[in-house]
Amino acid sequence: MPASRRHHRTLAVLVNCLGVIAAVPALPPAAPRAEAAATRPAPPPAAVAAPARPATAATPIPTGVPAVPPAVPTTGPAPVQPTMPPVSVAVGAAGTPAPGYRIEVRNAGTAPVETMVRQELPSGSRATTVTGGGQATGPVGATAGEVTWRLRLPARSTTALHTALAVTGPGRSVTAPTCVYGTDGTRPYDCATATWVGTATAPAAQATAAPAWRRPPVLLAAFAAVLVVAGGVLWWAARRRRQRARSAPAGVARAGAGPTGPTGAAGTGRQGPSGAGGTPVAAGVGGPDDRGTIYPRPALPTPASRRRRPPVWLAVGVAAAVLAGVVGAAAWTATQRVAAMDTTKQPTSGAWVGSTVNGGLGVPLRETAFEFTVYRMSCGAGVVPAAPGGGQPCLATVGVRNVTSEQQTWHGQLQRAYLPSGNWVAADENATRVANLGRDVFAQPVAAGRRVLLPLVFTVHGAQPPKQLELRSGVFSAGVRVDVD
């Protein structure tokens, strides 16, 4: 038997043996069942006398195939679905000479609700008129003054409130965000914002355009035009000079064919025939018997044409002009980029996508994935329970809206609060979870097109509150910066 055939037969035997070994565990265990039937005690006589009942469940037939495990649902984090609160707020700016606002608080539920309404006052303003029993407080434990109301909203009712402010700089725009909280004043039900724009607001000053001769693009264009015109003139002059040089040898040849001498044909030593009166006549001038012989004139040697090269001064001038243009363009580009740099911007880690957007309280600021709105910022021991490691907790009421078509996640370590000293602290995730009643807001993504309203807590070591917040959706996003001082 050939060796290859023996190998194939041996391999077939091994495969068959493995198949038999694998099928042995799937055989029905007949012997254990027999022993169990033999050792089973006999039923009592009453049970024996009772009529036999048919079996209600069928015995599964062993097939040797392991059972399929039951389907396990995915345990991924579900998107944050904001619940519709029974209380909502709407804010509108009044058309008055002084900054004024109309606040409408609505309870859409079927039961009364105890609420606390807070309106944040911008820096440099104070409340002059407050209706509905509100109280204006100064910046004690907060970054700015505020007006607070404690309201008991009846079921399916709307309560209207009015405020008027006085600002130090008349004519400027004033934004005053308003939020409705629970009785503790930390968990927001709803927030809204409005910006009052005065009728006497001066139009934005328009920057005067620089003269044309001081604009780098115009200067570069003029310089390029001069170079083109100068090159064209020089090329035309060189071409005209070459044409004159080529026509010079032909004129010299024509000038060499001198007049007929007294001895006969030009360039010959022969005596021409004599005419009447013995006057010598040039050959060929007399009658047919006196015709002379015409000898070809020797051709003048054509000077070898030499390829002309541009003068040295022209090549050096053009090279210097091109070099000056390149250096000028590079210097102008570098100057524009340096002028566009923001020297007051704090360093960030990996801000590669988009540009940072700055704003104040109550102003929606959009980045690559989220639209952030900071409505309020307050610090103090009464805001939330103090952290175990010490420090002053600062609570920020933040609205986050997903502006993309997919769910997005965000991380607490990327949300920062900058102190006046230049240092920053990240969001305190444990304190934020406590403020959100045990819910980890960073562990769940925000659904597409949804808006969530939540408190963020920053633990600051020191007496000075933060002056700016930096919020971002990812490490490669430039994020937004909110001035809260």
Side-chain angles (χ1 to χ4, degrees):
M1 179 181 296
S4 60
R5 189 171 299 177
R6 289 199 303 270
H7 292 167
H8 292 169
R9 181 169 296 181
T10 304
L11 181 61
V13 171
L14 291 178
V15 170
N16 292 335
C17 292
L18 292 177
V20 172
I21 294 174
V24 167
L27 296 178
R33 286 188 179 182
E35 293 179 1
T39 58
R40 184 177 301 171
V48 174
R53 296 181 180 179
T56 58
T59 303
I61 300 175
T63 59
V65 181
V68 179
V72 180
T74 57
T75 58
V80 177
Q81 300 292 342
T83 59
M84 294 299 294
V87 177
S88 60
V89 62
V91 183
T96 56
Y101 303 90
R102 175 183 172 85
I103 305 171
E104 293 184 354
V105 185
R106 181 184 179 186
N107 179 17
T110 58
V113 180
E114 298 286 344
T115 61
M116 176 183 289
V117 181
R118 295 178 181 269
Q119 184 182 31
E120 196 78 6
L121 302 182
S123 179
S125 63
R126 59 183 180 87
T128 57
T129 302
V130 179
T131 63
Q135 296 181 356
T137 59
V140 178
T143 57
E146 64 177 4
V147 180
T148 59
W149 294 267
R150 289 191 175 273
L151 304 176
R152 179 181 175 84
L153 303 177
R156 302 186 183 278
S157 63
T158 301
T159 303
L161 308 172
H162 298 270
T163 57
L165 308 180
V167 294
T168 54
R172 66 185 181 94
S173 301
V174 180
T175 302
T178 304
C179 293
V180 182
Y181 298 87
T183 55
D184 58 355
T186 58
R187 292 182 296 108
Y189 290 158
D190 191 20
C191 291
T193 184
T195 301
W196 176 88
V197 180
T199 56
T201 302
Q206 299 181 355
T208 304
W213 59 273
R214 296 184 59 183
R215 299 178 187 176
V218 176
L219 294 179
L220 291 177
F223 184 72
V226 170
L227 288 180
V228 172
V229 173
V233 171
L234 293 177
W235 175 80
W236 178 80
R239 183 178 180 184
R240 186 68 177 263
R241 188 174 181 180
R242 286 196 298 269
Q243 291 178 354
R244 291 179 179 179
R246 290 176 182 175
S247 60
V252 172
R254 288 192 297 270
T260 304
T263 59
T268 63
R270 297 183 59 184
Q271 178 69 33
S274 301
T279 304
V281 180
V285 178
D289 295 338
D290 299 327
R291 294 177 181 177
T293 303
I294 301 176
Y295 293 92
R297 297 179 183 142
L300 295 177
T302 304
S305 61
R306 185 176 56 181
R307 186 176 181 181
R308 298 181 60 84
R309 297 180 180 180
V312 178
W313 63 268
L314 178 60
V316 173
V318 171
V322 172
L323 180 61
V326 172
V327 172
W332 175 75
T333 304
T335 303
Q336 294 296 324
R337 293 191 175 185
V338 171
M341 292 182 180
D342 187 3
T343 57
T344 61
K345 180 180 178 181
Q346 297 290 343
T348 58
S349 53
W352 295 348
V353 180
S355 57
T356 304
V357 183
N358 299 322
L361 291 174
V363 179
L365 303 176
R366 179 172 296 190
E367 47 114 57
T368 55
F370 289 149
E371 181 185 78
F372 295 99
T373 307
V374 180
Y375 297 98
R376 185 173 181 269
M377 182 74 179
S378 60
C379 300
V383 175
V384 291
Q392 178 183 201
C394 295
L395 186 143
T397 302
V398 182
V400 183
R401 184 187 302 275
N402 185 358
V403 296
T404 65
S405 59
E406 300 178 354
Q407 64 180 17
Q408 300 289 338
T409 58
W410 59 320
H411 307 278
Q413 295 299 321
L414 299 180
Q415 322 309 320
R416 300 175 178 179
Y418 285 88
L419 305 177
S421 60
N423 299 326
W424 55 267
V425 294
D428 192 338
E429 297 187 14
N430 295 330
T432 301
R433 182 178 301 179
V434 172
N436 288 274
L437 302 180
R439 183 169 59 96
D440 189 357
V441 297
F442 301 111
Q444 297 176 333
V446 182
R450 297 304 181 108
R451 172 178 176 264
V452 293
L453 190 63
L454 46 87
L456 293 183
V457 181
F458 300 88
T459 301
V460 180
H461 296 276
Q464 293 183 338
K467 69 173 185 177
Q468 195 176 62
L469 295 184
E470 183 183 68
L471 307 174
R472 57 175 59 173
S473 59
V475 68
F476 297 111
S477 173
V480 302
R481 287 178 172 268
V482 184
D483 298 325
V484 296
D485 57 351

